[in-house]
Amino acid sequence: MATNTTSSFSGSVLAAEQADLRYLLTIADRAGMFQHPVFASGYLGRADMSKVVQRPTFGLGANEMAAETEGDGASGTSIANSKVSATVAGQLLTRDTTSLLRNITGDALSPSELFGQDMAVAASTRFLSMVASAMTSASGSVGSTGTALTAATHFAGVAAYRALGSLGLGGTGAPLALYHVKQVSELESNLFTSAGGQLQYGDEARRLAAFSGGIFRGFINDVPIYGTTKVTDDSTDFTGALLGAGSIVWADMLPAIDDPTRQVVLGGEAPDGSILPPMLAEVDRNSTTGVTTVAGRIFLGVSYGQEIAIKVISGV
């Protein structure tokens, strides 16, 4: 098991144990998209001795039994098999804080705070951007170019997703809808003005909203709706998607430490079996300029996995 290297990092410049705790709490709670079952099921593991992580897939549950002929049996049916993979690469955010700014703000902009909260949200946001990019590789789609997203289009997408259940077990669970915020606004408006309904938002939804960093917008039947500006567009249309477990696959890597006096790995031991990418934290201090630079780096790869997703197209 990976361990956190928080014993002797930069002395009093950064309280490593405090940063590690804040990083874990923030990324697991406030920015916890890594923990959603749709994404957690697509975790391939940590890269080791290679930047590519892969996993075989099998079409289990895609075939039904057939009547046999007494004494002859039935012809064999092969299991469809393939593989999914993700290639990890470095993802980085740096922050510069001056001595004057630190004096004014106090602990609010200390390196510990930056690592524990800012970097955790940055990592989760980057993951969301990579998911939004990967999901454009889905083959099936609903919606029309240049038109607003309606409830009818959304339900057509859900129906198309349900039909993917014939591919195997992965397509039978409830999908997650990842839409652009404008798509969500159009869907809410159409539900209310034309379909006589609205997004469902009860106690469970309020917990999900906190769990997702605020991008969760409610349910339509059993489908959770998420709205984010990270969903891509081609200047004409947004490409949202209904994602099933296994449609998005991802992997991470445990960073190596070159200089223990300036570097530390945070999040190496995630609580309660949570899946969190460990982060390499570094501090540089320029005494001449009075600038302290803090950098957070994760190694992360996200790819489109099995064909268990439907793109939802609407105009920008």
Side-chain angles (χ1 to χ4, degrees), residues 196-245:
Q198 62 183 17
L199 292 181
Q200 301 153 11
Y201 203 84
D203 291 340
E204 181 183 2
R206 292 184 179 89
R207 290 191 294 271
L208 269 174
F211 177 76
S212 66
I215 71 170
F216 175 74
R217 300 293 294 273
F219 284 97
I220 298 180
N221 294 336
D222 61 343
V223 178
I225 309 296
Y226 291 81
T228 173
T229 57
K230 301 304 177 182
V231 168
T232 60
D233 70 87
D234 59 3
S235 300
T236 301
D237 298 303
F238 292 117
T239 303
L242 292 155
L243 303 172

Side-chain angles (χ1 to χ4, degrees), residues 53-67:
V53 182
Q54 61 184 27
R55 180 173 69 190
T57 61
F58 304 95
L60 302 178
N63 303 105
E64 64 175 303
M65 292 183 177

Side-chain angles (χ1 to χ4, degrees), residues 168-188:
L169 299 177
T172 58
L176 174 152
L178 186 60
Y179 294 154
H180 191 274
V181 291
K182 185 173 184 290
Q183 290 182 302
V184 176
S185 178
E186 292 171 347
L187 180 57
E188 288 178 316

Side-chain angles (χ1 to χ4, degrees), residues 28 31 54 93 150 152 181 225 243 257-258 280 283 298:
Q54 61 184 27
L93 176 67
T150 64
V181 291
I225 309 296
L243 303 172
I257 290 181
D258 301 314
L280 180 66
V283 171
I298 62 173

Side-chain angles (χ1 to χ4, degrees), residues 59-183:
L60 302 178
N63 303 105
E64 64 175 303
M65 292 183 177
E68 66 173 343
T69 301
E70 187 68 22
D72 292 334
S75 58
T77 302
S78 60
I79 296 177
N81 64 87
S82 185
K83 64 182 179 182
V84 293
S85 65
T87 302
V88 301
Q91 317 293 330
L92 172 70
L93 176 67
T94 62
R95 296 289 199 195
D96 292 337
T97 58
T98 65
S99 296
L100 178 60
L101 184 62
R102 287 280 304 282
N103 289 336
I104 294 173
T105 61
D107 185 64
L109 284 178
S110 71
S112 295
E113 190 73 15
L114 286 172
F115 280 129
Q117 295 184 2
D118 183 41
M119 294 296 179
V121 175
S124 187
T125 302
R126 178 56 181 159
F127 174 71
L128 197 60
S129 294
M130 297 170 77
V131 167
S133 177
M135 70 190 191
T136 61
S137 296
S139 297
S141 66
V142 296
S144 302
T145 180
T147 61
L149 179 59
T150 64
T153 300
H154 168 79
F155 288 125
V158 173
Y161 170 85
R162 301 290 188 201
L164 295 176
S166 62
L167 298 177
L169 299 177
T172 58
L176 174 152
L178 186 60
Y179 294 154
H180 191 274
V181 291
K182 185 173 184 290
Q183 290 182 302

